[in-house]
């Protein structure tokens, strides 16, 4: 009784003449954590950028709850409940932590629910409460990552797209972030997770797709991918 | 470093000789005039205060124009060359309305005051709309394709179009305008003296007229309103966010194009207000008045740190005061050289401007 919430059908995306996505098809069902693993330049971030409308696919369709969204501008896709914590965090460096979080709730102009959501984010990331008045650019890498995820949560996502949440973080923090990702999922948010850290990603995800130079080469349950020989060799560092 | 490059400094210290020559040059050519200037300032403090007040008034209107440069640059990194000419069109539009309302120095204040406010708001609405439309037609399509040069050249083109629009405007002789454009189309247009010509500091030997107070007062109100808008409101914050990271702003659900339009609208409105205030203050407007004003305002924006809103205000004030002092104590002919000389010096030592951010130069 799984329902496809987000569906990509044969999506091709170009950067100028560069054919970055060569026909991606994938499905994210309601309530799942789906991970997209693959090496640098495989097209993981481009896939998320295409879903969010920052890049538009040249051919193919993207469906959200059955309706096409691939021709919508980025800001309208956000209004549907698809939020992204982008690669490299992309915190607004000269806005305060609080202002960054407020921007996450930009589509909802309503101060009551905003307070609730702020509380929720502070509960997940107590560090952010301590940094509330600090400029985003002065935070440490880990704090910026928390802010980027928190900012996306402020938009009350139905689907949360996470791009490399573990990048550049100390191992302790990586564990912490992945635990929080699971918590967010348990609270009812569907998650599409892009990661280079395949080990951690497969540990928390339900299903996974393996991306290689713009193509999906494997898809299976996370457990099956973990025990897949090719995956072990290429992405899990096992011989 | 172990393998640093061998310096020429082995034989002759050319670099030090260069520095010494520059110091000698400065001492020879700048010390005496500077001493003279300071002497003159001390000898007649009333004159100094008067010049500072003139600088304050000029600084106020320069700051209003400078904000248009800085808002737009902060968000789309375009030097909007046509902005000075937009200010000129603001002056022409307000003069036209003055004619339509048949405002004269004899109009009683009970009618004149409210109508002047109407003229101000209408002028701001006019230049704001015009600026927004020009962005849509002439700049938006050029964004994100090729180099930033394309949009810059487009802006230079619009600058000429605006100036010719100003010339054309001078030919307009509609009956409802009540002959406000005068008889000669190209000549400077005269505003009636609608601001009261009273010296508020009469008897002190210093001059600060009621019209100076109006210019400074209206400017301060507008600048404060802009500051509050940008720092406190949801849309203002969205504008800063867009300036700092356009993609990330789009991912927050912010309509980036609309936010850019907003920057053009705000900048345009302030330029229009400035055009009207200066027109009424100086009693004149001419089709090419936007060039020098635009250049000085742009300088003010760069001086304060382009993209920085408070910087543009500070830069405007400084340029106003430096110009006024230079006009009095050096020579009006030297003022541009002095203003731009100071700009060069500041930029050499602080490329991001006085309040510019070191990490990035925006917002």
């Amino acid at each position: 009784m799984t329902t496809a919430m987000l569906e990509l059908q044969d999506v091709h995306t170009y950067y100028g003449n560069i054919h970055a996505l060569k026909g991606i098809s994938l499905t994210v069902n309601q309530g799942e954590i789906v991970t997209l693993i693959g090496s640098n330049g495989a097209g993981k971030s481009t896939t998320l950028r295409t879903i969010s409308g920052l890049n538009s696919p040249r051919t193919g369709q993207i469906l959200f709850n059955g309706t096409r969204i691939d021709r919508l501008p980025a800001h309208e896709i956000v209004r549907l409940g698809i939020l992204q914590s982008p690669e490299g965090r992309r915190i607004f460096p000269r806005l305060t932590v609080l202002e960054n979080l407020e921007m996450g709730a930009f589509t909802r102009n309503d101060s009551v629910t905003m307070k609730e959501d702020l509380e929720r984010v502070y509960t997940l990331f107590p560090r952010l409460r301590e940094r509330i008045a600090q400029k985003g650019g002065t935070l440490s890498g880990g704090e910026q990552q928390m802010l980027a995820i928190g900012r996306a949560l402020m938009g009350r996502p139905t689907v949360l797209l996470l791009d490399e949440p573990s990048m550049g973080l100390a191992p302790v923090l990586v564990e912490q972030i992945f635990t929080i990702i699971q918590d967010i999922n348990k609270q009812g948010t569907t998650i599409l997770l892009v990661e280079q850290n395949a080990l951690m990603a497969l540990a928390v995800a339900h299903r996974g797709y393996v991306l290689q130079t713009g193509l999906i080469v494997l898809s299976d349950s996370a457990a099956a991918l973990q025990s897949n020989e090719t995956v072990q060799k290429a992405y899990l560092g096992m011989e | 470093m172990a393998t640093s490059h061998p310096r020429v400094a082995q034989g002759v210290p050319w670099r030090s000789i260069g520095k010494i020559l520059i110091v000698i040059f400065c001492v020879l050519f700048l010390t005496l005039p500077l001493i003279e200037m300071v002497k003159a300032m001390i000898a007649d403090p009333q004159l100094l205060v008067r010049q500072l007040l003139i600088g304050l008034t000029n600084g106020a209107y320069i700051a209003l124009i400078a904000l248009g440069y800085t808002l737009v640059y902060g968000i789309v990194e375009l030097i909007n060359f046509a902005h000075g000419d937009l200010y000129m069109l603001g002056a022409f539009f307000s003069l036209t309305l003055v004619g339509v309302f048949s405002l004269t120095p004899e109009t009683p204040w009970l009618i004149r005051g409210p109508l002047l406010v109407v003229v101000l708001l209408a002028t701001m609405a006019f230049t704001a709309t015009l600026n927004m439309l020009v962005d849509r037609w002439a700049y938006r399509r050029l964004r994100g394709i090729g180099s930033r040069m394309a949009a810059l050249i487009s802006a230079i083109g619009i600058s000429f179009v605006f100036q010719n629009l100003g010339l054309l405007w001078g030919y307009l002789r509609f009956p409802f305008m009540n002959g406000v454009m005068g008889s000669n189309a190209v000549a400077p247009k005269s505003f009636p003296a609608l601001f009261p010509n009273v010296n508020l500091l009469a008897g002190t030997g210093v001059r600060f007229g009621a019209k100076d107070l109006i210019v400074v007062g209206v400017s301060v109100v507008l600048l404060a309103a802009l500051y509050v808008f940008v720092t406190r409101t949801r849309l203002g914050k969205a504008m800063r966010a867009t300036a700092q990271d356009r993609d990330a702003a789009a991912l927050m659900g912010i309509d980036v194009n609309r936010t850019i339009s907003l920057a053009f609208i705000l900048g345009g409105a302030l330029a229009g207000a400035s055009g009207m205030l200066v027109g009424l203050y100086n009693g004149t407007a001419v089709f090419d008045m936007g060039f020098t004003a635009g250049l000085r305002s742009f300088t003010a924006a760069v001086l304060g740190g382009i993209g920085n809103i408070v910087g543009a205000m500070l830069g405007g004030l400084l340029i106003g005061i430096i110009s006024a002092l230079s006009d009095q104590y050096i020579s009006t002919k030297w003022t541009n050289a002095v203003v731009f000389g100071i700009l060069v010096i500041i930029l050499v030592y602080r490329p991001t401007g006085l309040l510019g951010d070191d990490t990035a130069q925006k917002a």
Side-chain angles (χ1 to χ4, degrees), chain A residues 27-53:
Chain A
T27 322
V28 181
N29 297 317
Q30 189 165 4
E32 277 188 317
I33 300 182
V34 173
T35 184
L36 213 57
I37 57 177
S39 51
N40 252 338
K44 305 186 300 287
S45 295
T46 307
T47 307
L48 293 196
R49 286 179 62 89
T50 307
I51 296 170
S52 281

Side-chain angles (χ1 to χ4, degrees), chain A residues 49 52 54 74-75 78-79 83-84 86 90-95 99-100 102-109 151, chain B residues 231 234-235 237-238 240-245 247-256 357 359-363:
Chain A
R49 286 179 62 89
S52 281
L54 292 176
H75 61 94
V78 173
R79 284 173 193 276
L83 279 103
Q84 185 180 155
R90 307 293 283 268
I91 293 304
F92 301 114
R94 287 177 301 287
L95 296 189
E99 285 170 337
N100 265 282
E102 284 172 4
M103 286 298 105
F106 182 79
T107 53
R108 298 182 298 110
N109 193 11
R151 191 177 61 173
Chain B
T231 52
R234 177 166 160 271
L235 278 181
K237 288 174 193 173
R240 278 152 66 214
T242 309
Q244 292 171 28
D245 192 329
D247 274 359
L251 288 177
M252 301 299 110
I254 295 168
D255 185 339
V256 169
D357 214 306
T359 50
Q361 37 183 231
K362 288 189 275 173

Side-chain angles (χ1 to χ4, degrees), chain B residues 88-89 92 126 130 160-170:
Chain B
M88 175 272 297
L89 289 180
F92 272 67
F126 168 74
L130 188 59
F160 286 118
V161 170
F162 277 1
Q163 282 190 29
N164 280 9
L165 208 61
L167 270 176
L168 194 68
W169 207 318

Side-chain angles (χ1 to χ4, degrees), chain B residues 21-363:
Chain B
L21 282 177
I22 288 172
V23 170
I24 290 174
F25 176 86
C26 290
V27 169
L28 278 179
F29 286 91
L30 293 180
T31 323
L32 276 178
L34 272 177
I35 291 173
E36 285 303 312
M37 265 178 65
V38 174
K39 263 190 196 165
M41 286 177 186
I42 296 168
D44 191 349
Q46 280 178 347
L47 184 66
L48 176 64
V49 173
R50 199 170 78 193
Q51 288 309 116
L52 287 175
L53 287 174
I54 291 175
L56 177 69
T57 309
N58 288 339
Y61 91 82
I62 292 174
L64 285 178
I65 310 174
L67 271 164
Y69 282 104
T70 236
L71 283 169
V72 164
Y73 186 88
I75 205 159
V76 286
E77 297 187 12
L78 164 74
I79 298 165
N80 184 3
F81 241 85
H83 195 67
D85 304 293
L86 186 74
Y87 146 86
M88 175 272 297
L89 289 180
F92 272 67
F93 185 86
S94 64
L95 177 58
T96 306
L97 283 189
V98 164
V100 169
F101 293 145
S102 322
L103 288 173
T104 66
E106 282 76 46
T107 313
W109 269 106
L110 212 59
I111 300 169
R112 205 199 305 179
L115 278 181
L116 279 176
V117 173
V118 170
V119 173
L120 175 71
L121 295 179
T123 305
M124 288 171 74
F126 168 74
T127 45
T129 314
L130 188 59
N131 210 27
M132 181 197 75
L133 290 176
V134 165
D135 168 54
R136 289 227 174 137
W137 293 332
Y139 308 148
R140 182 179 288 181
R141 284 154 222 254
L142 301 174
R143 251 175 245 140
I145 56 162
S147 71
R148 269 183 228 137
M149 279 300 149
L152 180 68
I153 300 292
S154 184
I156 293 173
I158 296 292
S159 162
F160 286 118
V161 170
F162 277 1
Q163 282 190 29
N164 280 9
L165 208 61
L167 270 176
L168 194 68
W169 207 318
Y171 281 93
L172 299 182
R173 297 284 180 281
F174 293 115
F176 62 78
M177 286 165 71
N178 294 319
V180 81
M181 287 298 158
S183 51
N184 184 339
V186 186
K189 312 297 169 198
S190 303
F191 279 77
L194 297 180
F195 286 169
N197 197 11
V198 197
N199 185 5
L200 297 175
L201 302 176
T204 58
V206 176
R207 191 175 164 81
F208 190 71
K211 56 181 190 176
D212 293 81
L213 184 68
I214 293 175
V215 171
V216 174
V218 172
S219 303
V220 167
V221 168
L222 291 175
L223 296 176
L226 180 87
Y227 183 78
V228 169
F229 174 80
V230 167
T231 52
R232 298 266 184 275
T233 67
R234 177 166 160 271
L235 278 181
K237 288 174 193 173
M239 208 163 94
R240 278 152 66 214
T242 309
Q244 292 171 28
D245 192 329
R246 227 189 282 180
D247 274 359
L251 288 177
M252 301 299 110
I254 295 168
D255 185 339
V256 169
N257 273 327
R258 201 183 281 184
T259 312
I260 293 171
S261 284
L262 183 64
F264 277 90
I265 287 170
L266 292 174
L270 294 181
S274 190
M276 171 188 170
L277 290 173
V278 172
L280 281 168
Y281 182 83
N282 292 335
T284 171
V286 63
F287 73 96
D288 60 1
M289 70 194 270
F291 182 72
T292 321
L295 212 54
R296 281 199 187 171
S297 308
F298 176 62
T299 309
V302 174
L303 183 66
I306 188 128
N308 186 308
I309 285 162
V310 181
M313 300 179 188
L314 177 70
L317 188 64
L318 281 177
I319 296 275
I321 286 175
I322 291 167
S323 306
L325 291 181
S326 162
D327 280 349
Q328 176 64 38
Y329 295 105
I330 303 172
S331 154
T332 48
K333 287 178 182 156
W334 275 84
T335 297
N336 276 340
V338 171
V339 166
F340 286 93
I342 289 174
L343 176 76
V344 169
I345 292 169
I346 288 179
L347 286 187
V348 165
Y349 291 101
R350 239 189 112 69
T352 51
L354 293 174
L355 299 185
D357 214 306
D358 283 335
T359 50
Q361 37 183 231
K362 288 189 275 173

Side-chain angles (χ1 to χ4, degrees), chain A residues 122-166:
Chain A
Y122 291 148
T123 316
L124 284 170
F125 306 107
R127 279 295 271 283
L128 293 182
R129 197 197 296 269
E130 299 162 25
R131 301 274 183 269
I132 203 163
Q134 215 168 304
K135 289 263 189 311
T138 64
L139 298 183
S140 73
E143 289 164 348
Q144 286 193 6
Q145 189 59 63
M146 296 174 193
L147 182 54
I149 297 174
R151 191 177 61 173
L153 287 177
M154 291 297 291
R156 296 220 163 155
T158 326
V159 178
L160 178 61
L161 312 176
L162 292 173
D163 198 344
E164 303 274 10
S166 77

